[in-house]
Amino acid sequence: MMTGEQYVESIRSMKTEIYMFGEKINSAADSPILRPSLNSVKATYDLAEKPEYEDLMTVTSHLTGKKINRFCHIHQSAEDLINKVKMQRLCGQKTAACFQRCVGMDAFNAIYSTTFEVDKKYNTPYFNNFKEYLKMVQEKDLTVDGAMTDPKGDRGLAPSQQSDPDLYLHVVERRADGVVVRGAKSHQTGISNSHEVIVMPTIAMRPEDKDYAISFAVPVDTKGIFMIVGRQSCDTRKLEGGKIDMGNSEFGGMEALVVFDNVFVPNDRIFLNGETDFSGVLVERFAGYHRQSYGGCKVGVGDVLIGAAALIADYNGAAKASHVKDKLIEMTHLNETLYSCGIACSAQGSKTESGNYLIDMLLANVCKQNVTRYPYEIARLAEDIAGGLMVTAPSEKDLRHEKLGPYVEKYLKGVDGVPTEYRLRVLRLIENLTLGAAAVGYRTESMHGAGSPQAQRIMIARQGNIAQKKDLAKAIAKIDKK
Amino acid sequence: MAVIAVKYCGGCNPRYDRVGFVRSLQGDFPELEVAGADAAEPDFALVVCGCPARCVQHEQLTGRQGKFVAASPEDREALCAALAEMR
């Protein structure tokens, strides 16, 4: 397995084409705006090296028998599914950010079982292609971006009906040794911090969408791939040179629009190629795993936000107020409810034909549906406890100013014994999580990541088994079933 | 020098400082050598769980003179008694 430092060097040595604010970036490792996001992924390597986290962060590969990072693992049991959620909670606690490696892990598991079933029906080589690919990923301990979401254009039209055929990524040329693809993937979390990208279709498809039912993996610095980094709230605070105003100076997340401009994919890297009847299966399984993930990662970040809210209550001298105590209880209740859902859908997981374990789909969608709501309420309560100073406090430069600093120290002090700087630091952390750069991951990603709220409601409707519930009601009401 | 093999739980949500807990033992028992869970034939095995769930798997871990599963700082007294018997 790689150490964190080896990981950073491996990213620095890549020739990834990254653009931000109209400029080409040499490497995420050396960009002050992107470096915090790299640090979040680095944490997944650093934690795996520590004995006190080894049991969650590492596991034995069923493919090779060697110790690997759990982010490269194919889940072999319900216990594996539970440990995945626990690992994600841990990583969320340690970074208070989106640590970006989950999408790849969820893609691995969805592709593993789907390719097995595709091969069974069509006698294709995808399962073996994928296993060989994954062995390489495990051996080298790579970070792989899971790329699903197409830009989609007119949401009312199928991929092959779009006026611009590139609004869904598709095959444009088929050769003897592979395919050439063109299109883009939106909202790509962690792509600048990844070694590889694994692509999946984004919706169920019909036979006429054959060229769009494509899944493959290539190195991120493959010719034809380039990324345009998305802006985040308060992103340029990272250029100011200070540490306090960022709120979280060490960790962060990133997302980008990734363009695939006539990219060649060799045959042995292809995991689906035209089998449209399995496109929806792959999407549903990936979405299920990723909705499970949010019951871990957002809970860990929520732990930090609850801690920050409790701290600021202490520093403000408001900790004994009964309404403050009750708000912290409510935040905890909401956060642990999300965790309960993550654990529940894992504990109820079952074995697929391929041998890996799949979460309970209904409970995974319930998990994510709750995640689209509760972080917003947790954030609201944190802001309530923090007070308005969270959004009106002077800058770090003013705190450090020879003339102004003493006034900032004097008038923004809370309780005795706590430096004003500490109060400002915690306020900035709460700001960061509720409306700053980390709000991208904690709020809006909670809403739309792994599928927008309506996507879960559709799955809940499908899985809800209303017919059986009607029979239950009839039995109790003594209504003849006929 | 007696070897104590330590296996930690994964630390998803520890209620106390597990690493600090082990470090404090070394203060009281300087003759103990703390090793990882993969130590060969340790004299004593210690499983350090971060909460009452005690979820870590440790069947493979054995100590020639005993094994203890700690799940809170309150377990320290009983653990120290077990280690003292080993002296």
Side-chain angles (χ1 to χ4, degrees):
Chain A
M1 298 191 312
M2 277 201 271
T3 64
E5 287 308 320
Q6 286 171 333
Y7 160 70
V8 172
E9 286 313 305
S10 70
I11 292 295
R12 190 178 266 128
S13 69
M14 293 188 70
K15 296 179 177 27
T16 310
E17 200 173 335
I18 309 170
Y19 295 91
M20 189 166 55
F21 298 132
E23 307 270 332
K24 192 162 184 287
I25 305 294
N26 283 336
S27 171
D30 302 310
S31 156
I33 290 194
L34 294 177
R35 182 58 198 242
S37 67
L38 184 78
N39 289 343
S40 297
V41 183
K42 178 176 177 283
T44 69
Y45 290 86
D46 288 336
L47 290 169
E49 296 285 309
K50 294 179 187 289
E52 63 266 36
Y53 302 119
E54 187 184 7
D55 200 59
L56 275 185
M57 297 298 305
T58 68
V59 67
T60 301
S61 166
H62 80 295
L63 292 172
T64 63
K66 294 182 182 172
K67 184 165 104 167
I68 58 169
N69 194 300
R70 194 180 287 277
F71 279 100
C72 300
H73 185 50
I74 300 295
H75 314 302
Q76 299 297 297
S77 61
E79 188 189 348
D80 265 352
L81 293 171
I82 289 171
N83 283 335
K84 174 206 169 191
V85 171
K86 290 184 173 183
M87 172 183 74
Q88 289 165 317
R89 185 172 189 170
L90 169 67
C91 292
Q93 290 177 340
K94 295 300 184 186
T95 61
C98 172
F99 40 91
Q100 306 145 58
R101 214 170 162 184
C102 307
V103 195
M105 169 176 59
D106 294 335
F108 297 155
N109 278 274
I111 292 170
Y112 188 87
S113 60
T114 306
T115 52
F116 182 89
E117 292 166 29
V118 176
D119 285 1
K120 191 176 163 191
K121 185 172 178 183
Y122 292 111
N123 200 28
T124 41
Y126 305 139
F127 186 59
N128 200 60
N129 283 356
F130 181 68
K131 278 196 299 181
E132 291 306 308
Y133 173 73
L134 189 62
K135 278 186 204 168
M136 183 275 295
V137 168
Q138 290 180 352
E139 181 65 36
K140 295 184 179 179
D141 198 9
L142 299 183
T143 291
V144 179
D145 172 87
M148 174 165 278
T149 310
D150 290 281
K152 299 200 279 285
D154 183 340
R155 270 75 170 155
L157 297 176
S160 54
Q161 294 175 322
Q162 299 286 329
S163 57
D164 180 351
D166 298 337
L167 288 172
Y168 283 79
L169 190 145
H170 61 127
V171 175
V172 294
E173 185 185 340
R174 295 179 188 280
R175 302 178 186 168
D177 57 346
V179 299
V180 177
V181 300
R182 190 162 65 233
K185 292 290 185 183
S186 299
H187 323 309
Q188 288 310 297
T189 299
I191 184 79
S192 63
N193 306 318
S194 301
H195 303 98
E196 294 257 334
V197 55
I198 192 162
V199 168
M200 297 162 281
T202 198
I203 55 171
M205 295 189 184
R206 299 172 303 189
E208 52 267 37
D209 297 318
K210 184 170 172 295
D211 289 336
Y212 294 85
I214 183 75
S215 174
F216 62 89
V218 288
V220 162
D221 55 2
T222 299
K223 184 168 177 289
I225 297 178
F226 66 93
M227 56 196 73
I228 310 168
V229 175
R231 288 214 71 163
Q232 294 183 335
S233 171
C234 304
D235 49 12
T236 50
R237 285 193 188 186
K238 296 174 203 172
L239 302 176
E240 291 170 359
K243 293 288 183 192
I244 297 178
D245 291 352
M246 285 189 273
N248 185 344
S249 58
E250 187 173 359
F251 301 107
M254 68 80 60
E255 299 78 23
L257 171 70
V258 183
V259 177
F260 292 75
D261 208 14
N262 297 327
V263 174
F264 174 71
V265 181
N267 285 330
D268 62 351
R269 288 296 198 96
I270 296 175
F271 314 128
L272 189 79
N273 189 2
E275 297 80 10
T276 52
D277 50 336
F278 281 93
S279 179
V281 171
L282 180 52
V283 170
E284 269 185 23
R285 286 183 188 170
F286 167 79
Y289 283 119
H290 208 46
R291 289 166 196 178
Q292 168 211 22
S293 287
Y294 282 58
C297 67
K298 301 308 176 206
V299 175
V301 178
D303 286 330
V304 175
L305 184 53
I306 294 168
L311 261 184
I312 200 61
D314 288 345
Y315 294 174
N316 288 349
K320 290 184 185 163
S322 60
H323 71 93
V324 169
K325 288 182 190 173
D326 196 65
K327 281 161 189 164
L328 290 170
I329 291 168
E330 181 63 9
M331 293 167 83
T332 304
H333 158 236
L334 294 171
N335 208 34
E336 298 298 338
T337 301
L338 298 180
Y339 183 61
S340 304
C341 291
I343 295 297
C345 68
S346 306
Q348 293 288 98
S350 58
K351 199 171 184 177
T352 65
E353 270 189 90
S354 67
N356 79 334
Y357 268 64
L358 181 66
I359 66 301
D360 181 291
M361 281 296 193
L362 174 57
L363 296 181
N365 279 278
V366 166
C367 178
K368 178 63 185 14
Q369 180 78 168
N370 285 327
V371 172
T372 67
R373 300 176 189 175
Y374 293 1
Y376 284 82
E377 180 62 5
I378 293 169
R380 188 189 72 79
L381 290 167
E383 290 187 49
D384 182 336
I385 293 171
L389 189 62
M390 191 188 94
V391 291
T392 67
S395 70
E396 182 178 353
K397 283 187 177 167
D398 296 313
L399 177 68
R400 305 283 183 231
H401 194 272
E402 193 181 324
K403 177 189 167 189
L404 304 172
Y407 289 97
V408 174
E409 294 256 7
K410 176 185 170 77
Y411 287 111
L412 296 190
K413 181 172 164 294
V415 298
D416 284 340
V418 176
T420 301
E421 180 175 323
Y422 286 11
R423 193 169 177 234
L424 290 172
R425 281 182 176 274
V426 176
L427 286 169
R428 289 294 181 206
L429 175 56
I430 296 172
E431 180 197 39
N432 167 258
L433 286 164
T434 58
L435 52 91
V440 170
Y442 189 60
R443 292 179 75 209
T444 313
E445 191 180 79
S446 289
M447 175 76 77
H448 291 294
S452 303
Q454 189 58 26
Q456 293 106 54
R457 296 186 84 74
I458 290 169
M459 288 300 291
I460 292 168
R462 279 194 206 151
Q463 308 263 337
N465 202 0
I466 295 290
Q468 187 243 5
K469 291 177 168 69
K470 285 181 186 175
D471 285 342
L472 293 174
K474 282 179 178 174
I476 298 294
K478 306 292 184 226
I479 294 170
D480 189 337
K481 270 193 197 180
K482 294 179 206 149
Chain B
M1 187 175 267
V3 174
I4 175 171
V6 177
K7 183 170 169 88
Y8 292 96
C9 74
C12 68
N13 203 14
R15 307 289 172 92
Y16 66 104
D17 179 356
R18 298 164 301 143
V19 173
F21 179 86
V22 172
R23 217 175 274 138
S24 75
L25 285 179
Q26 288 177 285
D28 287 350
F29 296 91
E31 72 275 20
L32 281 181
E33 180 190 328
V34 174
D38 54 358
E41 297 187 5
D43 297 288
F44 198 85
L46 173 61
V47 182
V48 185
C49 302
C51 77
R54 293 181 171 83
C55 67
V56 64
Q57 303 291 316
H58 56 85
E59 294 78 18
Q60 308 295 328
L61 184 66
T62 55
R64 284 186 296 169
Q65 296 188 55
K67 180 169 162 181
F68 192 95
V69 179
S72 80
E74 285 71 39
D75 290 327
R76 195 176 188 283
E77 196 178 327
L79 170 58
C80 287
L83 290 173
E85 270 187 37
M86 214 175 60
R87 272 179 165 150

